Amino acid sequence: MDKLMTIKNMGMLFLAFGFGMMLGIVGFVEELQTIGYGETIEIATRIILSTFLMLIGVKIINGK
């Protein structure tokens, strides 16, 4: 069990979850008929959060 929960594997988990969120954003945008202010704000916050998760994952993997 200790081999599964290493620091690098946790970094890969963050990276994969952030990438999965990006794919979710693409699916969300594809099903929209019109884009208003609310949808634009929601898309922007999802992009910021998924980018932040991927950044944390890369920093964990690189050991910083």
Side-chain angles (χ1 to χ4, degrees):
M1 187 69 182
D2 291 333
K3 291 181 182 179
L4 292 175
M5 298 303 283
T6 60
I7 297 295
K8 286 197 176 202
N9 287 344
M10 293 299 289
M12 286 300 293
L13 184 68
F14 276 99
L15 195 61
F17 190 69
F19 185 71
M21 278 184 70
M22 283 286 189
L23 293 177
I25 294 168
V26 171
F28 175 74
V29 171
E30 278 185 354
E31 71 180 26
L32 289 176
Q33 299 293 325
T34 58
I35 297 179
Y37 289 117
E39 289 86 5
T40 305
I41 292 171
E42 186 175 352
I43 292 167
T45 55
R46 285 183 181 190
I47 288 173
I48 291 169
L49 288 175
S50 63
T51 305
F52 182 70
L53 279 176
M54 288 191 288
L55 176 70
I56 295 296
V58 168
K59 286 191 179 252
I60 289 173
I61 290 171
N62 288 336
K64 293 182 179 182

